[in-house]
């Protein structure tokens, strides 16, 4: 079959997880990656913003970690830190996130990272049959069952969205 498009897709294939890869036109001038994905995937494929998840890389006192939450939500750094067993968390600098995951900002996937990071996924993921997250490239998302994402990323499930 040849090489899959990204390490995230390769990880899904290797694990035998049912998924659907969805591409959309990424405007290189747009820096609101999650908002763009939600608008494009909603219009073209009928998904709602709450089921499209963004991946944020965090800095914890113990190292880097990942938070995955719906695009419209704001991350509670305090809740994410607690879910990941840390006393505090901050957003990681983009260069550090890229170096660790192997993905560029706007294309960071919770799957297939260069260095697998501890991961927390917002519990709202279980409200959906399928959720979307980055497939490892700007303009490319993957739809899968939330439980499959949780299992494959060895994530903890917690309320990490603020409000």
């Amino acid at each position: 079959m040849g090489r899959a498009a990204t390490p995230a897709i390769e990880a899904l294939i290797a694990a035998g997880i049912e998924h659907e890869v969805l591409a959309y036109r990424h405007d290189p001038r747009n820096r609101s990656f999650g908002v763009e994905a939600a608008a494009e995937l909603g219009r073209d494929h009928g998904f709602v913003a709450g089921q499209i998840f963004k991946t944020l890389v965090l800095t914890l006192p113990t190292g880097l970690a990942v938070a995955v939450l719906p695009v419209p939500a704001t991350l509670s750094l305090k809740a994410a830190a607690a879910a990941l067993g840390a006393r505090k968390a901050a957003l990681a600098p983009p260069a550090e996130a890229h170096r660790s995951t192997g993905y560029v900002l706007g294309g960071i996937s919770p799957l297939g990272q260069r260095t697998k990071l501890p991961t927390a996924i917002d519990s709202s993921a279980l409200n959906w049959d399928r959720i979307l997250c980055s497939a490892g490239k700007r303009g490319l998302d993957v739809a899968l069952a939330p439980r499959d994402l949780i299992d494959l990323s060895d994530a903890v499930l917690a309320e990490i969205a603020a409000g």
Side-chain angles (χ1 to χ4, degrees):
M1 178 170 144
R3 180 170 161 72
T6 67
I9 295 169
E10 287 179 350
L12 288 163
I13 292 168
I17 292 176
E18 185 178 321
H19 64 281
E20 178 184 5
V21 178
L22 301 166
Y24 60 92
R25 190 187 61 75
H26 165 64
D27 180 347
R29 297 167 300 186
N30 191 338
R31 304 309 287 174
S32 297
F33 304 112
V35 172
E36 178 187 52
E40 295 289 327
L41 293 167
R43 186 188 68 242
D44 295 345
H45 300 283
F47 291 100
V48 299
Q51 72 187 123
I52 301 170
F53 282 58
K54 58 188 171 187
T55 305
L56 303 176
V57 179
L58 308 176
T59 302
L60 306 176
T62 55
L64 296 179
V66 169
V68 182
L69 67 157
V71 164
T74 302
L75 177 67
S76 165
L77 289 169
K78 185 176 181 178
L84 293 161
R87 65 185 193 294
K88 64 180 182 172
L91 290 177
E96 200 173 333
H98 171 71
R99 198 170 30 257
S100 176
T101 65
Y103 296 125
V104 296
L105 201 63
I108 296 176
S109 178
L111 304 170
Q113 299 165 357
R114 182 177 292 147
T115 302
K116 190 172 185 174
L117 300 174
T119 301
I121 297 177
D122 189 70
S123 55
S124 68
L126 295 181
N127 295 341
W128 306 98
D129 291 335
R130 292 193 316 158
I131 58 171
L132 287 83
C133 65
S134 177
K137 183 177 164 184
R138 293 176 187 155
L140 200 63
D141 269 38
V142 63
L144 71 165
R147 203 36 86 185
D148 288 338
L149 178 60
I150 294 162
D151 292 346
L152 191 57
S153 61
D154 293 326
V156 296
L157 197 62
E159 292 182 21
I160 60 172

